Amino acid sequence: MRKTKLRLVGQSTSAELKREIQATLRQIVIARDGGCFLRNYTNEITPQYRNCGGYRNDGELILQAEHLHTRSNARSFSDNRLVVCVCQRHHIYYKPQHSDEYNGIAKKYIGKKNAKLWEDVKNDYSPHKVDLKLELLALKQEFKKLTQ
C-alpha cells in the first residue's frame, strides 16, 4: 500500500516549460482578442449564454485560453492560432452544452485559413517532437510584438 500521496503536478523541466507556455499563451490571446471572443457573437449564441460570466472576488472577468483542439496534441500545444480567449462561463458551461454551435462560431472567428489548420490538426495522429524551450521563446517574442 502506498503511503505517500501522488504528486498532482509534475516538477520536471518539461512540466515547468509547459506551464510557462500555457501562461504565455493566455497572455497572448487576452492581448490579441481583447476579451472573450464570444462577446461579438451574442446574436448567434443560445440566449441563456449571451452574456459573459465568471468573476473574481475583485469583480474582474475571468479570462481563459481555450485550446480549440486538445493540448495533448504536440503539434498544436503551443500554436496560438488554435487558441482563443474565452470567459469562464462560456468555457465551462456554454462550450460543453452547445459544442457544435460554439465550434461553428470559433471557426468563423479564427478565419478560413486557421479553420483549415484546425481540421488538419484534428486529423493528424502522427507523433510530433516539440522543442519546448524554442516554442516558449517564440511565444514570448509574439507577446512582445503584440504589446509594443
Side-chain angles (χ1 to χ4, degrees), residues 29 32 46 50 70 84 100 104 111 118-119 122 126 131 138 147:
V29 298
R32 181 193 67 203
T46 300
R50 287 190 175 154
T70 177
V84 293
D100 290 341
W118 186 6
E119 288 303 315
K122 280 186 200 177
S126 60
D131 183 334
T147 58

Side-chain angles (χ1 to χ4, degrees), residues 44-137:
E44 299 176 44
I45 295 175
T46 300
Q48 71 193 58
Y49 291 106
R50 287 190 175 154
N51 296 322
C52 289
Y55 293 89
R56 299 185 323 204
N57 289 338
D58 64 3
E60 284 289 315
L61 185 64
I62 297 170
L63 296 172
Q64 301 171 334
E66 201 272 310
H67 291 257
L68 296 173
H69 188 66
T70 177
R71 288 188 296 177
S72 65
N73 183 311
R75 178 176 172 194
S76 65
F77 178 77
S78 61
D79 192 337
N80 66 42
R81 298 173 295 176
L82 298 177
V83 180
V84 293
C85 181
V86 68
C87 70
Q88 185 181 40
R89 181 172 193 231
H90 286 134
H91 194 193
I92 302 216
Y93 299 105
Y94 174 65
K95 181 188 176 191
Q97 293 177 15
H98 300 280
S99 59
D100 290 341
E101 187 176 279
Y102 178 92
N103 290 337
I105 295 169
K107 283 179 184 176
K108 188 184 300 185
Y109 181 73
I110 65 174
K112 288 181 181 179
K113 185 178 176 183
N114 289 338
K116 167 94 172 75
L117 174 63
W118 186 6
E119 288 303 315
D120 292 346
V121 167
K122 280 186 200 177
N123 296 321
D124 183 358
Y125 297 100
S126 60
H128 294 274
K129 209 150 178 64
V130 176
D131 183 334
L132 295 174
K133 289 180 183 178
L134 192 58
E135 294 291 319
L136 179 59
L137 180 61

Side-chain angles (χ1 to χ4, degrees), residues 2 11 16 24-25 31 102 122 136:
R2 186 177 195 91
Q11 293 187 348
E16 291 170 18
T24 306
L25 267 175
Y102 178 92
K122 280 186 200 177
L136 179 59

Side-chain angles (χ1 to χ4, degrees), residues 20-36:
E20 195 169 351
I21 285 170
Q22 293 311 302
T24 306
L25 267 175
R26 181 177 180 273
Q27 290 176 317
I28 288 170
V29 298
I30 289 172
R32 181 193 67 203
D33 298 351
C36 180

